[in-house]
Amino acid sequence: QSTWGLESSTMIAMKAIVFALFISVCAAYVLPGTLPRSYIMGDPVEVKVNKLTSEEMLLPYDYYSLAFCQPARKTPASENLGEILRGDRIYNSPYEVKAKIAEPCKVLCVVNLNPSQAALFTERIREDYRVHMLADNLPAALVSTLTMEDGSEREVYEDGYPIGRFGNDDEQPAEPFIYNHVTFKFKYHHDDTYDGDRIVGFEVQPYSVKHEFSELEDHTPTTCAALTDSGPQVVAPGAKIVFTYSVVWEESPIRWASRWDVYLKMEGDKQIHWFSIVNSLIIVLFLSGIVAMIMMRTLHRDFQQYNESRTAEEIQEESGWKLVHADVFRPPNRPMLLSIFVGSGAQIFVMTLVTLCFAMLGFLSPANRGGIITAMVVLFVLSAVFAGYVGARVYKMWGGRSWKTQTMATSSAMPGLIMVIFLVLNFCMMGEHSSGAVPFGTLFGLFAMWLAIATPLVFLGAFFGYKKAQIVPPNNMRVNQIPRQIPLQLWYLGLLPSCLIAGILPFGAIFIELFFMLSSIWLNTFYALFGFLFIVFVILIITCAEISIVLVYFSLCAENWQWPWRAFLSSAASAFYVGLYATFYFWTKMHVHYFVSALLYFGYTFVLVFCLFLLTGAVGFVATTVFVRVIFASIKVD
């Protein structure tokens, strides 16, 4: 009865956690701006400005860190945790836009650049920074034409537009030119089912125009009639820069529910994603065939051989994995460390699985800026209960007694390492005055979530884990007091060579999708193919489980009973190849030449690789533990 009560308490706790996950993610999804808004002709349309970003620097900056036109009262927009962590700094702007009212050319302000302002503009233009804006929760997009392999052309939306450019050969190559005029094109859709019109597109086209304008004589610059005829505006100390803008409204057949499709157009890329799925499935089928052969043929033959009655001479001559039955359940070296790794991997697994499920169902679309990061942080904190539970079960399985030390280490080791790296990178961004630097208030909130929520949840999970009965060897198998001597192993069965070979297959199942993920993180591209990502994640889990089982089986057949760390590291080695690929991506796709930017890239890449190391290792360990217990429970031991 007490056992039933304990299981009931566990189920109630798990249900409460799942409900909290659902509520938290749903709350993150229903945010202002995600519901449609209709505009009547003449209604004000607020244009907001966001951060400045660069693929070369990776350091976001506040829009108003440059000498752009400012409103009479600068008001920051309310932001969620994810937006703060990704460096978004959203403010109002002086642009005045009214629904369905065109504006041919309007002066925003006139700025006389001093030497420091001109130098900063020049530096940001040289670093290829882009301006990001928002209107009706849509990001401003620069439309460019992409030529396909078959010679056809299609339009591609690029997030934001460049601050400026340097002169070409026909101009003055050393001179920086600023884009001081922008043309906003708003696309709207009208339907009889609602009043007014809904904005379904926000395009921007920048120009560099050396305006001829007198604030006393002219209402609008005389150069507005031909934006490309007056020459570009040079950035130099003392330069008088006239910022102007135009507004164009255009009716569109695109419905409001489909307005994000143009940002996520990837018709040509979907073939690559399908190729990735097929490539991954081939690897899974290959491994599944090996596992099936082991299960159906080799193990079946072993079971018959080991369970039949034999003479003493035959027993002495037998070989294979049955010989290590008295050592296979011996505690490994550093059992506490392995239990911490497995528990932390379980936490990351739950966080990743739930996040992908909600993203695949549409709760975490790109329209909800920062929603994915917010959900991941919340889910990571709430999933700490699984780290405590799984870590405690594994540690107790090997007879561990220092449960307080193990639980405290589980709650602090992995989150503490991530927090230290995050703080170091955050102080580096503070030194660069980047908007990516997280404010101290947010840092305090993250520490509070870790210490006040995650840590107690780890202890809660560990409490239930240690209360459960110890996992004992099947069929009452005894562990010898003296360890069995391990025969000399072939070189490829060594721990390091076998793990390096094994890690190639899980990496091969994900490396194509990994390219798109890195591009989304570092090159500011939109990623919303979460269905593909979920399939690849499932394939990764299956591959990790199967490769660990195969390698441990070969090791046991070679009479090597030290399998726990091998089971973990066989699948976890895929993270090593992910790190190598991320380094290759940095040198081939990125154009970073600044030390702090490179530090940011490799710092966050290390966190990604470490989390993948724990996740894949935990999957391989759990799957192999079940496999080992099943096969040894199927034989008779004298």
Side-chain angles (χ1 to χ4, degrees):
Q1 183 176 0
S2 59
T3 304
W4 181 88
L6 181 59
E7 294 178 352
S8 300
S9 302
T10 305
M11 290 301 299
I12 293 173
M14 296 303 176
K15 290 179 180 180
I17 292 171
V18 171
F19 179 76
L21 298 181
F22 178 80
I23 294 298
S24 63
V25 176
C26 290
Y29 174 66
V30 183
L31 288 174
T34 58
L35 298 178
R37 177 181 176 183
S38 301
Y39 293 88
I40 308 299
M41 185 173 182
D43 285 350
V45 179
E46 186 177 12
V47 176
K48 298 179 180 180
V49 294
N50 199 348
K51 59 188 176 183
L52 309 173
T53 63
S54 169
E55 296 177 4
E56 296 184 7
M57 296 299 293
L58 306 182
L59 290 168
Y61 286 98
D62 192 323
Y63 175 85
Y64 290 118
S65 63
L66 296 179
F68 287 116
C69 303
Q70 297 195 17
R73 182 179 180 183
K74 190 171 66 174
T75 305
S78 59
E79 297 177 340
N80 58 41
L81 178 61
E83 289 177 303
I84 296 174
L85 292 178
R86 56 180 257 169
D88 286 353
R89 299 296 182 267
I90 303 174
Y91 295 93
N92 60 328
S93 73
Y95 293 100
E96 296 179 357
V97 178
K98 296 184 179 180
K100 298 181 68 174
I101 296 180
E103 189 71 59
C105 186
K106 187 173 182 179
V107 176
L108 194 63
C109 72
V110 178
V111 177
N112 295 306
L113 295 181
N114 59 40
S116 62
Q117 292 173 336
L120 191 56
F121 261 119
T122 302
E123 182 180 358
R124 295 291 180 260
I125 293 173
R126 181 180 293 109
E127 293 165 348
D128 198 23
Y129 270 88
R130 301 175 71 89
V131 177
H132 297 274
M133 294 183 175
L134 297 167
D136 195 49
N137 203 43
L138 277 178
L142 177 63
V143 182
S144 58
T145 303
L146 180 65
T147 303
M148 309 300 293
E149 294 182 357
D150 57 0
S152 62
E153 296 182 346
R154 70 181 178 99
E155 291 185 343
V156 177
Y157 274 39
E158 299 179 28
D159 188 14
Y161 66 91
I163 294 175
R165 61 180 176 84
F166 274 84
N168 52 40
D169 295 336
D170 298 332
E171 299 165 333
Q172 302 178 25
E175 293 287 343
F177 301 132
I178 186 174
Y179 289 129
N180 58 323
H181 177 91
V182 289
T183 298
F184 297 133
K185 179 189 284 189
F186 289 90
K187 294 184 177 181
Y188 65 93
H189 179 78
H190 178 76
D191 196 289
D192 295 335
T193 58
Y194 53 81
D195 295 331
D197 304 284
R198 292 177 178 176
I199 296 176
V200 295
F202 180 33
E203 301 175 5
V204 59
Q205 184 63 48
Y207 298 90
S208 181
V209 185
K210 188 176 182 180
H211 281 302
E212 296 178 1
F213 175 68
S214 173
E215 298 181 56
L216 298 178
E217 299 177 2
D218 301 327
H219 179 66
T220 58
T222 57
T223 48
C224 280
L227 295 174
T228 59
D229 294 344
S230 61
Q233 174 62 58
V234 178
V235 176
K240 179 181 178 181
I241 299 181
V242 181
F243 288 94
T244 57
Y245 68 100
S246 305
V247 181
V248 177
W249 289 85
E250 178 182 291
E251 189 168 3
S252 172
I254 299 175
R255 302 180 65 87
W256 188 90
S258 304
R259 65 178 188 165
W260 273 89
D261 292 352
V262 292
Y263 294 87
L264 307 174
K265 271 186 178 179
M266 301 182 74
E267 284 85 353
D269 295 329
K270 282 185 178 178
Q271 299 179 3
I272 302 177
H273 288 275
W274 281 117
F275 173 77
S276 171
I277 299 297
V278 173
N279 169 71
S280 303
L281 286 176
I282 291 175
I283 294 176
V284 168
L285 291 176
F286 171 72
L287 286 175
S288 299
I290 296 178
V291 174
M293 182 181 65
I294 292 174
M295 294 291 189
M296 298 179 63
R297 297 185 59 184
T298 309
L299 280 177
H300 182 69
R301 185 185 66 239
D302 291 344
F303 291 153
Q304 287 183 333
Q305 176 184 352
Y306 293 153
N307 290 331
E308 65 184 7
S309 300
R310 286 167 295 163
T311 63
E313 291 78 9
E314 291 176 333
I315 294 176
Q316 290 179 356
E317 294 178 358
E318 73 177 10
S319 63
W321 51 269
K322 182 184 178 182
L323 293 181
V324 299
H325 69 272
D327 297 274
V328 73
F329 296 106
R330 186 182 303 279
N333 296 327
R334 297 180 177 85
M336 181 182 294
L337 179 62
L338 183 55
S339 68
I340 293 170
F341 281 179
V342 175
S344 300
Q347 177 181 3
I348 298 173
F349 172 80
V350 173
M351 176 203 71
T352 306
L353 179 63
V354 177
T355 301
L356 285 178
C357 288
F358 279 106
M360 185 177 58
L361 294 174
F363 287 102
L364 304 175
S365 68
N368 179 16
R369 292 182 312 278
I372 291 182
I373 298 179
T374 302
M376 290 180 67
V377 172
V378 173
L379 289 170
F380 180 80
V381 172
L382 296 179
S383 301
V385 66
F386 296 97
Y389 180 81
V390 175
R393 295 285 286 159
V394 172
Y395 186 59
K396 187 176 181 180
M397 178 176 65
W398 291 316
R401 300 298 181 185
S402 304
W403 66 269
K404 293 181 180 179
T405 304
Q406 193 275 342
T407 305
M408 182 59 69
T410 302
S411 66
S412 58
M414 186 261 294
L417 177 61
I418 295 176
M419 185 63 73
V420 168
I421 295 174
F422 177 74
L423 287 176
V424 171
L425 298 179
N426 194 66
F427 283 123
C428 290
M429 286 188 285
M430 283 183 176
E432 297 296 327
H433 305 287
S434 169
S435 65
V438 177
F440 285 105
T442 305
L443 287 177
F444 178 80
L446 292 175
F447 270 105
M449 292 175 67
W450 174 25
L451 299 178
I453 301 178
T455 300
L457 285 177
V458 171
F459 276 86
L460 176 64
F463 171 78
F464 286 109
Y466 285 116
K467 285 293 183 181
K468 296 282 285 186
Q470 181 180 358
I471 301 175
V472 297
N475 296 337
N476 296 320
M477 290 184 181
R478 296 180 180 180
V479 177
N480 288 340
Q481 293 184 356
I482 301 176
R484 177 187 178 88
Q485 184 176 0
I486 299 175
L488 183 64
Q489 303 287 297
L490 296 173
W491 69 269
Y492 55 83
L493 289 179
L495 181 61
L496 182 60
S498 62
C499 290
L500 289 178
I501 295 173
I504 296 176
L505 293 177
F507 169 74
I510 65 170
F511 82 97
I512 296 178
E513 207 66 26
L514 182 63
F515 170 82
F516 293 99
M517 291 182 61
L518 292 176
S519 299
S520 175
I521 295 172
W522 300 112
L523 300 184
N524 294 314
T525 60
F526 294 106
Y527 186 93
L529 300 178
F530 297 109
F532 285 104
L533 188 59
F534 180 80
I535 295 175
V536 170
F537 177 73
V538 172
I539 293 174
L540 172 66
I541 298 304
I542 297 174
T543 307
C544 289
E546 292 180 340
I547 194 64
S548 294
I549 290 174
V550 170
L551 281 197
V552 167
Y553 174 77
F554 290 155
S555 176
L556 292 176
C557 288
E559 301 179 20
N560 185 349
W561 48 267
Q562 295 177 341
W563 64 268
W565 276 107
R566 184 183 298 268
F568 183 91
L569 296 175
S570 296
S571 53
S574 59
F576 171 73
Y577 293 99
V578 171
L580 290 181
Y581 182 81
T583 304
F584 171 78
Y585 183 90
F586 176 83
W587 292 112
T588 57
K589 295 296 182 181
M590 308 291 291
H591 305 285
V592 175
H593 305 289
Y594 193 55
F595 173 75
V596 175
S597 302
L599 188 65
L600 284 176
Y601 180 89
F602 286 105
Y604 286 124
T605 297
F606 175 80
V607 172
L608 172 65
V609 170
F610 182 62
C611 291
L612 185 66
F613 170 82
L614 297 175
L615 187 154
T616 53
V619 170
F621 175 83
V622 172
T624 307
T625 301
V626 174
F627 169 77
V628 170
R629 293 183 59 81
V630 168
I631 64 173
F632 280 94
S634 304
I635 62 174
K636 297 178 182 179
V637 179
D638 297 332

